[in-house]
Amino acid sequence: MDTLRLSADPGRFPDRVREELTDVDRLRRIWAEHRQAWPREERETARRDLIRARIREAGVDGALADLLVSATVDGMAGRALTREYAAELAELVHSLPDPGPFRAPRNPLTLEYAHLVADPAAVPGHPLVRAAVIYIETLAIVTELDEGREAPRLLPWVTAALVLRRSDFPPLPPTHPPAHTGLSPEERLAETVSAMARAVMTALRDELGWTPPGAPPPPRGPVPPLAAVTRRRILDYLRSRREPVGLILRALDPGARVLVRSGGFDDTEEGDRPSETGRAVLTPGAAHWWSTLELAVGEAVLTLTVVTQEIGRPRTGVLAVIVDGRLTTAEGARDVPGVSIADSVTVMPTDCVDDRWPQIRDLVDEAVSQAMGALTRV
């Protein structure tokens, strides 16, 4: 792909991708206003903790994690990506003794190749598109240096994170979009932009939801209309799924049971709250409401929990819908494969529920599908 002939103008992408970029810009504006409420030192501490957690989720620890945290939080914010800096970063990555799940190329990135990494940083237009361009180009270069071997790569993510940090975005969580073989260069760029947009939304929401340790819980107020309508529609949808799901399960086990329950953070009966609720809440102490679909086949019980929650303190008006799942058998409890709290839907203050409902419905449907598959394999 000749990146210098490409524009980072979002207008050249499909409607879906343009909408994702618009969502990023809208959430970033809210994030930029909200972060002013916290002292700078507290914000930087929170950023370090959040990015380290994301790096750990990607399977990276030790010296490599220390390098990435330092680079994405401190050193990368003020440095332009020149060919010299690209070569320096590549050498740091290449010299690490244990790359974890990431593969370093067999051959180092020399200055001869470094300009191919640095040049896309000058592509004009939206920073997220520019980050996607530089990710694709850097990935192609390090793959060539590794004699064509496909593998998870570190340097492409680091260079993309640098581009975003210089445009005052939070550090990009470790992101490795699929290769999308068979697509045209334009289609592959669009898919990479889409994957990065979702990762940036996660980073923005992580920082938006952070609160200082020991902060007192916010005063309870009336439920915002958007939250009320969203959680009610989710509950109604789960109820509508109860009978068809029950028919399928009873074909496997006539004694199978399907139960739908709901509640909220202000419930007085703590024992009725599913354990998954706590780990799905992004802002400690913020208002949240849950609905569960409980599937029981024999001794196996699978609980899907859909949490609608406010993000940020003080209130930002941003909501998140997150699905979590646990499967309990005689051997113990474990996460439901394919159901991750990293998969979620962000609802903006200016949205109406119809704007986000297709995404929320798809999120729930995918979780139900994964749950049914998990139960049939027990």
Side-chain angles (χ1 to χ4, degrees):
M1 182 185 299
D2 185 355
T3 55
L4 299 183
R5 293 186 179 181
L6 289 175
S7 164
D9 177 12
R12 54 195 299 275
F13 293 110
D15 290 346
R16 168 182 57 85
V17 179
R18 291 202 303 271
E19 290 170 1
E20 289 173 330
L21 289 173
T22 299
D23 285 343
V24 168
D25 291 338
R26 292 167 66 193
L27 188 59
R28 183 183 175 278
R29 284 193 292 270
I30 296 171
W31 164 82
E33 294 174 0
H34 182 75
R35 66 177 176 166
Q36 302 307 317
W38 305 111
R40 180 182 179 85
E41 289 185 3
E42 289 186 346
R43 294 202 312 267
E44 290 302 320
T45 298
R47 173 166 286 176
R48 276 184 172 274
D49 290 345
L50 291 168
I51 194 62
R52 184 175 288 278
R54 290 295 180 186
I55 290 170
R56 191 179 299 116
E57 289 172 7
V60 180
D61 215 332
L64 180 54
D66 292 339
L67 166 67
L68 297 182
V69 171
S70 176
T72 55
V73 176
D74 299 325
M76 296 179 74
R79 292 187 64 177
L81 185 60
T82 62
R83 65 179 62 187
E84 290 79 14
Y85 190 24
E88 178 185 335
L89 289 170
E91 177 58 29
L92 283 171
V93 171
H94 199 270
S95 64
L96 287 167
D98 181 14
F102 301 96
R103 182 187 178 94
R106 292 185 175 182
N107 301 305
L109 183 77
T110 63
L111 285 177
E112 176 187 0
Y113 283 93
H115 81 91
L116 299 175
V117 173
D119 287 350
V123 173
H126 197 287
L128 203 151
V129 181
R130 193 160 62 247
V133 169
I134 202 168
Y135 177 91
I136 292 172
E137 286 296 335
T138 306
L139 178 60
I141 292 165
V142 295
T143 301
E144 180 180 342
L145 290 172
D146 203 29
E147 302 173 3
R149 293 174 175 83
E150 296 288 344
R153 302 294 184 179
L154 183 62
L155 188 62
W157 168 61
V158 173
T159 54
L162 171 59
V163 169
L164 291 170
R165 289 290 290 118
R166 281 183 55 80
S167 298
D168 195 29
F169 280 84
L172 179 72
T175 303
H176 300 284
H180 300 297
T181 56
L183 299 181
S184 69
E186 291 76 14
E187 290 170 334
R188 185 182 180 193
L189 177 59
E191 292 302 320
T192 304
V193 169
S194 178
M196 287 198 168
R198 293 191 294 272
V200 169
M201 289 286 284
T202 297
L204 288 167
R205 206 175 57 192
D206 280 350
E207 292 203 4
L208 196 63
W210 175 82
T211 57
R220 292 183 180 179
V223 179
L226 182 57
V229 174
T230 300
R231 63 169 179 159
R232 184 168 62 246
R233 183 170 289 192
I234 290 171
L235 179 58
D236 290 344
Y237 188 67
L238 287 178
R239 286 171 174 163
S240 75
R241 301 289 291 154
R242 180 169 50 194
E243 187 57 31
V245 167
L247 288 173
I248 296 173
L249 293 182
R250 284 190 290 273
L252 301 174
D253 176 8
R257 305 178 308 279
V258 180
L259 177 67
V260 175
R261 297 186 296 129
S262 67
F265 72 111
D266 49 358
D267 285 352
T268 56
E269 297 296 330
E270 287 285 340
D272 290 338
R273 185 175 305 177
S275 59
E276 293 80 9
T277 302
R279 64 179 185 173
V281 174
L282 302 179
T283 302
H288 59 275
W289 305 269
W290 52 268
S291 300
T292 64
L293 182 66
E294 187 175 287
L295 314 176
V297 177
E299 295 183 354
V301 178
L302 194 153
T303 304
L304 285 178
T305 304
V306 187
V307 181
T308 303
Q309 57 188 287
E310 293 185 345
I311 302 297
R313 290 168 46 187
R315 281 180 167 177
T316 62
V318 177
L319 301 174
V321 178
I322 292 180
V323 180
D324 197 6
R326 295 284 282 175
L327 175 62
T328 303
T329 64
E331 288 74 32
R334 63 180 187 270
D335 294 342
V336 177
V339 179
S340 169
I341 58 176
D343 300 324
S344 58
V345 176
T346 303
V347 183
M348 302 293 183
T350 53
D351 286 336
C352 71
V353 70
D354 288 337
D355 295 331
R356 299 294 165 176
W357 179 246
Q359 298 175 42
I360 296 172
R361 182 190 59 223
D362 290 348
L363 179 71
V364 174
D365 282 345
E366 177 62 22
V368 171
S369 176
Q370 295 293 341
M372 298 289 285
L375 275 177
T376 60
R377 292 189 294 270
V378 172

